Amino acid sequence: MADFLMPALGADMETGRLVQWLVKPGDRVRRGDVVAVVETHKGAIDVEIFLDGVISELAPLGQDMKVGARLARVGPAVASPSPATSAIPAAAPTPGQRPLVSPAARRRARELGVSLEGLRGSGVGGAVVLADVERVASSMTSAPVEPVAAAAAAPPPARRGFDPSQMRQAIAAAMGRSKREIPHYYLGSPIDFQAATAWLAGYNRDREPEQRLLPAALLLKATALALRELPEFNGFCEDGLFRAGDGIHVGWAVALRGGGLIAPAIHDADRLVLPELMAALRDLVQRARAGGLRSSELTDPTVTVTSLGERGAEAVWGVIYPPQVAIIGFGRVVERPWVVDGQVVPRPLVQVSLAADHRVSDGHQGGRLLAAIDRALQSPGTL
C-alpha cells in the first residue's frame, strides 16, 4: 500500500481543506486522475493523483490538513484472471442520480448552460471535471440547451470562500522566506519591440478577436525558447543543489479579482505554437480567476513569468518563488527615444528583468538569458 498525501500547492501553502472526494474505496485510479477537491487560500483546486492502483481509507471531508498528511491509501491493482471478471467501467449516472462533479466543473456548467444530468465524465468512476464541461460546451449545436437539472446539483460542501487577506498573508510569508534564504541578483534591459508590434498588427489584421494574439504570447514564447538555451534558470534549488525541470512549465502570474496573485503552469510552453500558447494563456487566466485549476498546474511550474500588461508599470523586479531559481518580468510597452543606425527615433520598448538565484547562476549567464529573449523577439515570425 502507498500513501496519497496532501500536495503542496505552492510554497505559500501550509494546509488545505478536503471538501470533496470524486472517488470511493475500491475505485481504480491512474496517474493524472482528478480524485478530490481541496480548498486553499487560492480557491478550490481539482487534485490529481500520481499513483496507480485501488483507492482505500479515504480521509474524512471538512478537515484542515497539513501538507504531507495522508489523504488516502492506494493499493496495487490486481489483474483480473479472465475477461469475464474484468473490472467494468462505471456507467453514466441514470436520470435523477447525482453525478460526482467538481466545484469548478459545476460552476462552469452553470455559466455555459451545460446540463450535468446523465453526463459521464473523464474522472474516476465517471466523475465530471472541468475539461468535460468544456468539451460538451464546444460540441453543442445551436439547439436550445436545457438548464442544469435541479436533481443533478449535489449540495455544495461547506466552503470558506476566497479570502484576499489570507492569500496576501500566505504570499508575504513565502516571499519573506525567499528573500531570507535565496541570494537574489537582479538584471534588467530594454528591448526594442518594434518588430514584434509590426508582426502582431499584420497577424491580427484579418482575424476575429478570439483568434488574435496579444503581446503576452510573444513574451511567453520568447522566454520559453531562451530557457531552452539556458536551462540553468529552469528548475529548482533543493538542499543547496540544482534540479533541472522535466520540461519548460512556465508559471504565469495572474492577478485575481478582489486581490491576490497566483502563478499556475503552462506546460511545455516552448513546444506550443503561438495560437496554442494564446489559447492556453486565456484558458489559464479564466480558470485561475474562476477557481478551476488543477493541482499539477500549481505544483509543476519550473520558472515564473510576470507581465504587467498595458496598464502596469514600466518595469517589475520580482521575488523568486521557492524552490524555483528565477523569475522573469516584463513591464508595459512604452514609446521612448531609441537610436537606430545613428539616428534617434521613437520606438516601442519593453523592459525585461531577471531575478535569479546566485547559488545556481551568475550575472554572466543571466545576461545571456536576457539577450536570448531579446534576440527571439526581433524575429517574431519564427516563434
Side-chain angles (χ1 to χ4, degrees), residues 174-225:
M175 296 300 95
R177 170 192 159 198
S178 174
K179 293 293 284 186
R180 287 192 305 272
E181 299 179 2
I182 299 176
H184 287 60
Y185 70 88
Y186 299 91
L187 300 174
S189 180
I191 292 177
D192 183 353
F193 211 58
Q194 175 67 31
T197 299
W199 185 86
L200 275 174
Y203 182 91
N204 290 334
R205 184 174 297 117
D206 298 322
R207 286 178 166 83
E208 296 298 321
E210 63 273 11
Q211 297 176 328
R212 294 173 187 168
L213 298 178
L214 297 177
L218 300 187
L219 299 176
L220 183 54
K221 184 61 179 290
T223 300
L225 293 177

Side-chain angles (χ1 to χ4, degrees), residues 189-194 197 310 312-315 331-340 343-351:
S189 180
I191 292 177
D192 183 353
F193 211 58
Q194 175 67 31
T197 299
E310 297 177 359
E314 291 188 26
R332 76 174 190 271
V333 179
V334 294
E335 191 169 66
R336 290 286 184 268
W338 193 252
V339 178
V340 179
Q343 301 293 318
V344 178
V345 296
R347 276 285 207 256
L349 304 179
V350 62
Q351 180 82 12

Side-chain angles (χ1 to χ4, degrees), residues 35-374:
V35 297
V37 179
V38 169
E39 188 180 68
T40 75
H41 60 273
K42 297 176 181 178
I45 309 298
D46 289 343
V47 175
E48 299 149 287
I49 196 167
F50 294 97
L51 298 167
D52 295 335
V54 178
I55 287 284
S56 68
E57 299 182 34
L58 300 180
L61 299 179
Q63 292 190 27
D64 288 326
M65 305 178 69
K66 291 183 178 181
V67 170
R70 189 172 73 191
L71 293 176
R73 304 208 73 193
V74 181
V78 180
S80 300
S82 68
T85 58
S86 297
I88 301 173
T94 57
Q97 180 182 356
R98 291 176 177 170
L100 288 172
V101 184
S102 77
R106 192 177 299 283
R107 283 194 299 273
R108 190 65 175 145
R110 291 194 181 105
E111 292 172 2
L112 298 175
V114 173
S115 174
L116 298 175
E117 186 171 6
L119 177 61
R120 173 173 168 75
S122 58
V124 178
V128 177
V129 296
L130 188 66
D132 301 315
V133 175
E134 298 286 0
R135 172 177 49 79
V136 172
S138 66
S139 65
M140 288 193 305
T141 65
S142 58
V145 180
E146 295 181 3
V148 178
R159 302 179 57 79
R160 294 169 293 188
F162 173 66
D163 185 346
S165 63
Q166 184 185 30
M167 173 175 277
R168 290 197 185 283
Q169 290 173 8
I171 292 172
M175 296 300 95
R177 170 192 159 198
S178 174
K179 293 293 284 186
R180 287 192 305 272
E181 299 179 2
I182 299 176
H184 287 60
Y185 70 88
Y186 299 91
L187 300 174
S189 180
I191 292 177
D192 183 353
F193 211 58
Q194 175 67 31
T197 299
W199 185 86
L200 275 174
Y203 182 91
N204 290 334
R205 184 174 297 117
D206 298 322
R207 286 178 166 83
E208 296 298 321
E210 63 273 11
Q211 297 176 328
R212 294 173 187 168
L213 298 178
L214 297 177
L218 300 187
L219 299 176
L220 183 54
K221 184 61 179 290
T223 300
L225 293 177
L227 289 167
R228 187 190 287 176
E229 289 185 38
L230 291 116
E232 58 266 42
F233 295 96
N234 185 68
F236 314 95
C237 188
E238 297 168 328
D239 298 324
L241 300 175
F242 176 68
R243 176 172 64 86
D246 60 359
I248 298 176
H249 309 318
V250 176
W252 184 262
V254 180
L256 302 178
R257 298 184 181 95
L261 193 70
I262 194 168
I266 296 178
H267 291 97
D268 298 309
D270 59 318
R271 299 182 184 179
L272 301 177
V273 297
L274 286 173
E276 293 174 332
L277 197 56
M278 189 71 250
L281 188 57
R282 285 192 173 106
D283 172 67
L284 197 72
V285 171
Q286 181 183 48
R287 289 189 292 110
R289 291 174 174 165
L293 294 174
R294 283 189 166 213
S295 56
S296 61
E297 292 169 329
L298 295 175
T299 58
D300 285 357
T302 54
V303 68
T304 297
V305 172
T306 179
S307 174
L308 298 182
E310 297 177 359
R311 293 176 292 177
E314 291 188 26
V316 55
W317 302 93
V319 179
I320 299 168
Y321 193 72
Q324 296 171 24
V325 298
I327 179 170
I328 296 103
F330 295 96
R332 76 174 190 271
V333 179
V334 294
E335 191 169 66
R336 290 286 184 268
W338 193 252
V339 178
V340 179
D341 297 329
Q343 301 293 318
V344 178
V345 296
R347 276 285 207 256
L349 304 179
V350 62
Q351 180 82 12
V352 59
S353 67
L354 168 69
D357 188 336
H358 233 319
R359 296 173 298 179
V360 174
S361 65
D362 55 36
H364 175 71
Q365 295 161 297
R368 291 177 58 205
L369 179 71
L370 297 187
I373 295 173
D374 189 340

